[in-house]
Amino acid sequence: MLSVRFILLSAAGLAAAGGLAAGIVCLLDGSIAQAVAVTWPGLAGGVAFALAAPGGPGDTA
């Protein structure tokens, strides 16, 4: 069974990759402002998912 940490970190990677992919598509279309507008929420979602992931048993704060 998959751990919650793995699932959340995978979601973080997918959110970040999706945001970057949308930004790249917008850049290829030539709209820089729209690329910035769609890239940052994807990266922010990735950070939010990564921060929500519980620490491992050997992790110390």
Side-chain angles (χ1 to χ4, degrees), residues 26-61:
C26 292
L27 281 178
L28 290 175
D29 192 34
S31 51
I32 295 173
Q34 188 176 1
V36 171
V38 299
T39 301
W40 287 113
L43 293 177
V47 170
F49 277 123
L51 288 175
D59 292 345
T60 58

Side-chain angles (χ1 to χ4, degrees), residues 3-21:
S3 69
V4 173
R5 182 177 184 180
F6 178 75
I7 293 170
L8 286 173
L9 291 178
S10 297
L14 287 173
L20 288 174

